[in-house]
Amino acid sequence: SVENKTCKMHCYESVVNYLSCGMLLAGLLHLINHRKAQASYGRHMKPTALAILVPARVAWFLQEMPALLMPLLLMHLSRQYSTMGRAILLKTFCLHYFHRTFVYSLLTRGQPFPLSVMATAGFFCLLNGSLQGHYLLHCAQFDEEWSADYRLVVFYIGMAINIHSDYILRNLRKPKEIVYKIPAGGLFEYVSGANYFGELVEWFGYAIVTWSLPGFSIAVFSLCFIGPRAYYHHKFYKEHFKEYPRFRKALIPFIF
């Protein structure tokens, strides 16, 4: 059809493939470089006099915002996402980052971030938002009758787990209290990183429903980034709390 030809004309397939492969490579490099230490924020932050710190709420807001703004900007400029599939998946992707930008960031009680960590995360969100937005708008091909059906449910199950787990973590301590406690309830009864597990279910659900290289790249990058972080959280709990349940796994129930 004329519509499909127009979409193909605007699809920069080589750029999409390069960015997707770059994201996969960046995830693997992060996994290799952080085998023994984690990115310096939160409980793993190393004190240094040279670090410029940004309040956690401001940092989360600023670094997540680009991943929401870029798809919205691309939608505005293209003025088309005619098939139901494009509309559903674009709105699903934006929903995740709307929550991270306007809900999670305003509720978090985390410690201040180093400016360098915030800037790096913001740059990644800028690229990811541009990549996913462009692919879904101009490259993905869906029939008019396409329906995400059960596959999209995986994404929303992961999002629900992530939001509920964040709620549990947020209410472990009082405002301005900087004390780490053992989380309990929900999937925290089985894994140390239930919030991370939920986010991974989200992105692998997104990869399944888009069945695309960009979708696969964000899922693998997330695994490489937050997988080791979940492991070090698990290690932290075991080292600092003698009463920590030994049957719990780090990230995936019954596996890690």
Side-chain angles (χ1 to χ4, degrees):
S1 65
V2 174
E3 177 191 342
N4 285 341
K5 290 180 181 178
T6 302
C7 291
K8 287 183 179 180
M9 285 175 62
H10 289 86
C11 174
Y12 297 97
E13 186 175 0
S14 59
V15 176
V16 168
N17 290 336
Y18 284 136
L19 285 178
S20 299
C21 292
M23 191 179 295
L24 289 170
L25 181 60
L28 293 174
L29 289 175
H30 181 277
L31 184 64
I32 294 171
N33 292 333
H34 292 79
R35 287 177 299 174
K36 297 182 179 180
Q38 277 301 289
S40 184
Y41 69 92
R43 73 190 63 187
H44 304 293
M45 187 168 67
K46 298 176 182 178
T48 171
L50 299 177
I52 300 174
L53 300 181
V54 182
R57 291 181 178 181
V58 176
W60 277 106
F61 179 83
L62 292 178
Q63 73 181 35
E64 302 292 310
M65 177 68 81
L68 173 64
L69 288 183
M70 289 310 300
L72 294 177
L73 177 62
L74 291 172
M75 279 190 276
H76 175 73
L77 293 176
S78 67
R79 299 185 183 277
Q80 64 172 6
Y81 51 94
S82 55
T83 64
M84 181 64 72
R86 288 196 184 97
I88 290 175
L89 293 177
L90 278 166
K91 291 175 181 178
T92 296
F93 180 83
C94 289
L95 178 63
H96 170 87
Y97 281 104
F98 177 87
H99 173 264
R100 300 297 285 184
T101 303
F102 292 106
V103 180
Y104 178 83
S105 66
L106 298 180
L107 296 176
T108 186
R109 297 176 181 174
Q111 298 184 49
F113 272 31
L115 178 61
S116 59
V117 173
M118 185 197 78
T120 302
F123 179 69
F124 169 79
C125 285
L126 177 68
L127 290 180
N128 186 41
S130 302
L131 171 62
Q132 306 299 336
H134 176 77
Y135 173 78
L136 290 174
L137 276 169
H138 301 297
C139 303
Q141 298 296 317
F142 299 102
D143 295 330
E144 291 295 336
E145 297 79 18
W146 183 90
S147 173
D149 51 74
Y150 68 91
R151 293 169 294 175
L152 196 55
V153 173
V154 177
F155 178 93
Y156 285 105
I157 288 175
M159 189 172 187
I161 293 171
N162 180 254
I163 292 174
H164 181 248
S165 300
D166 283 337
Y167 171 81
I168 291 174
L169 289 173
R170 192 164 55 245
N171 288 279
L172 278 178
R173 52 193 181 193
K174 300 176 182 178
K176 297 183 179 180
E177 184 181 26
I178 306 177
V179 176
Y180 290 104
K181 301 176 183 179
I182 300 174
L187 276 182
F188 281 113
E189 297 299 320
Y190 305 97
V191 295
S192 301
N195 53 328
Y196 295 140
F197 173 72
E199 187 165 354
L200 285 181
V201 172
E202 275 189 78
W203 290 126
F204 275 95
Y206 175 80
I208 291 170
V209 77
T210 61
W211 205 249
S212 65
L213 182 57
F216 180 71
S217 66
I218 180 59
V220 173
F221 180 90
S222 298
L223 178 62
C224 292
F225 187 85
I226 64 180
R229 198 159 185 85
Y231 168 78
Y232 280 100
H233 275 29
H234 184 70
K235 185 178 179 182
F236 174 89
Y237 290 132
K238 291 202 298 183
E239 291 176 350
H240 291 80
F241 300 98
K242 293 182 180 180
E243 70 275 21
Y244 189 72
R246 298 296 171 178
F247 65 85
R248 287 192 194 176
K249 305 300 180 180
L251 180 64
I252 309 297
F254 316 117
I255 301 178
F256 299 111

